[in-house]
Amino acid sequence: MERTFIAIKPDGVQRGLVGEIIGRFEAKGFTLVGLKLLVASQELAEKHYDIHKERPFFKDLVSFITSGPLVAMVWEGDGVVASARRIIGATNPLTAEPGTIRGDFAVSIGRNIIHGSDAIETAQREISLWFTDAELANWELTIKPWLVE
Ligand code: IDP
Ligand code: MG
């Protein structure tokens, strides 16, 4: 079953959007299989954003993402990786569509409140970076027949 890594960044936590954001993924019909609140270490943040290490904003990004607690999650469902990216919206919140999380709640690219894996392979890498197997639950929604034909 397809899984993706989602993180509510420190700005989303500080702004009290944890419940709202989790609620959107729940209401959509995806399954929460991993959830924890933590302050990411410098090492973890640098590994997570490794692909951006040559970018001018890398240092600020790592310092921001480690600046306070974030909520790390794994969500499961058919097509969840691409669908979560659409629920999240464009990287720049000013161009993110209304109705998306960034479109509804943010104004700045450096404070865009949420992360979501951009591809299935990226999701696998990020999930194993942030979670151990024991921290992930294998379970099925009892209402699944009402969600999936
Ligand atoms: P994504 O989060 O939509 O996948 P990426 O391009 O992977 O966007 O960038 C990762 C994160 O780095 C963004 O969510 C944003 O917080 C930050 N970022 C990206 N581009 C810029 C920039 O030009 N200035 C400042 N921060 C940026
Ligand atoms: Mg990205």
Side-chain angles (χ1 to χ4, degrees):
M1 180 59 86
E2 189 173 317
R3 289 178 169 179
T4 195
F5 174 71
I6 302 290
I8 305 172
K9 298 179 182 181
D11 51 339
V13 174
Q14 286 287 356
R15 291 186 51 207
L17 293 170
V18 171
E20 166 74 35
I21 290 171
I22 291 176
R24 290 190 177 204
F25 289 96
E26 274 188 319
K28 173 75 170 168
F30 292 128
T31 306
L32 183 62
V33 297
L35 172 71
K36 60 184 172 185
L37 179 137
L38 72 157
V39 179
S41 67
Q42 176 92 7
E43 188 191 357
L44 178 57
E46 285 179 2
K47 276 188 191 157
H48 174 76
Y49 280 126
D50 184 63
I51 194 167
H52 296 306
K53 65 172 181 280
E54 308 300 338
R55 308 280 285 275
F57 56 83
F58 180 71
K59 203 164 158 274
D60 286 346
L61 179 60
V62 168
S63 120
F64 166 62
I65 214 77
T66 57
S67 66
L70 58 76
V71 174
M73 297 180 278
V74 178
W75 286 89
E76 182 178 276
D78 284 335
V80 68
V81 174
S83 178
R85 292 282 292 188
R86 299 191 65 185
I87 291 167
I88 289 168
T91 305
N92 181 347
L94 292 178
T95 55
E97 292 292 330
T100 65
I101 293 168
R102 287 168 174 165
D104 286 350
F105 299 118
V107 289
S108 166
I109 196 163
R111 297 288 184 271
N112 63 6
I113 67 175
I114 182 165
H115 166 85
S117 309
D118 63 9
I120 290 176
E121 307 73 54
T122 319
Q124 287 163 351
R125 176 187 169 272
E126 292 175 350
I127 290 167
S128 58
L129 194 58
W130 289 85
F131 286 89
T132 64
D133 281 348
E135 290 174 323
L136 300 174
N138 295 303
W139 67 292
E140 196 161 281
L141 289 168
T142 55
I143 60 154
K144 200 161 181 192
W146 302 105
L147 286 164
V148 183
E149 193 180 14

